[in-house]
């Protein structure tokens, strides 16, 4: 980014911080399309990308007094866009209709190379989360997910109660979720991994 662009952004952010609506409009016009394209690349839905983009700029307006003109406004903006997109995907994963719509559209409008690289990253992160489990929880988790065994079969093989297996699996999933949530605050990763396991 050129010094001139940084200088213009610096001045606009200074004015925005003071509540100048014209400065906000200028920043909106300048970055709205880029933010929209970025959000759409993450959630693969034009309709929802438009809504998330609006939320991004609403947050900018609401947080205007905390802006730091000396820092990159564009980086700040795209961080909000990423977080809002991830929050949307978490919400989508919990809402059946929204989940079907969003993840169906993600599956038909994807970039194979990007998906492959992300898949490698997610699998690696997933394995790190599993490796953090206690040996017993890890074994039960792997027997269930990797070997496809039922709780009854696991209980019989390990010589423990079926309810113990159920409790250990619940705790394992909780531990994995906590690991992923703490991993740089990447909530989208959490959604992806939980869809895989």
């Amino acid at each position: 980014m050129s010094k001139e662009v940084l200088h213009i952004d610096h001045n606009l952010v200074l004015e925005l911080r003071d509540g100048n609506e014209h400065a906000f409009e200028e920043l909106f016009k300048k970055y709205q399309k880029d933010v929209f394209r970025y959000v759409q690349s993450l959630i693969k839905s034009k309709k929802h990308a438009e809504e998330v983009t609006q939320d991004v700029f609403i947050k900018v307006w609401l947080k205007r007094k905390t802006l730091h003109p000396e820092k990159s406004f564009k980086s700040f903006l795209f961080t909000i866009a990423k977080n809002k997109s991830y929050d949307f995907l978490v919400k989508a994963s919990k809402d059946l209709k929204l989940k079907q719509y969003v993840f169906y559209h993600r599956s038909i409008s994807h970039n194979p190379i990007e998906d492959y690289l992300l898949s490698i990253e997610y699998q690696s992160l997933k394995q790190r989360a599993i490796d953090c489990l206690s040996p017993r929880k890890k074994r039960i988790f792997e027997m269930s997910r990797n070997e496809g065994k039922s709780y009854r079969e696991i209980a019989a093989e390990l010589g423990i109660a079926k309810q113990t297996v159920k409790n250990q699996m619940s705790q394992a999933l909780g531990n994995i979720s906590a690991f992923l949530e703490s991993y740089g605050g990447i909530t989208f990763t959490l959604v992806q991994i939980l869809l895989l396991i």
Side-chain angles (χ1 to χ4, degrees), residues 17 34 41 53 55 87 99 103 109 140-141 158 167:
R17 200 169 61 172
D34 289 340
S41 76
T53 300
D55 288 345
D87 290 345
K99 180 178 179 178
F103 290 101
S109 58
I140 289 172
F141 180 88
L158 298 180
N167 292 343

Side-chain angles (χ1 to χ4, degrees), residues 20 26 39 42 50 55 58 79 82 99 108 152 156 167 190:
N20 185 315
E26 287 298 309
V39 170
L42 294 174
E50 288 170 352
D55 288 345
I58 288 170
T79 297
K82 179 186 73 172
K99 180 178 179 178
I108 63 172
R152 180 177 281 110
N167 292 343
L190 170 64

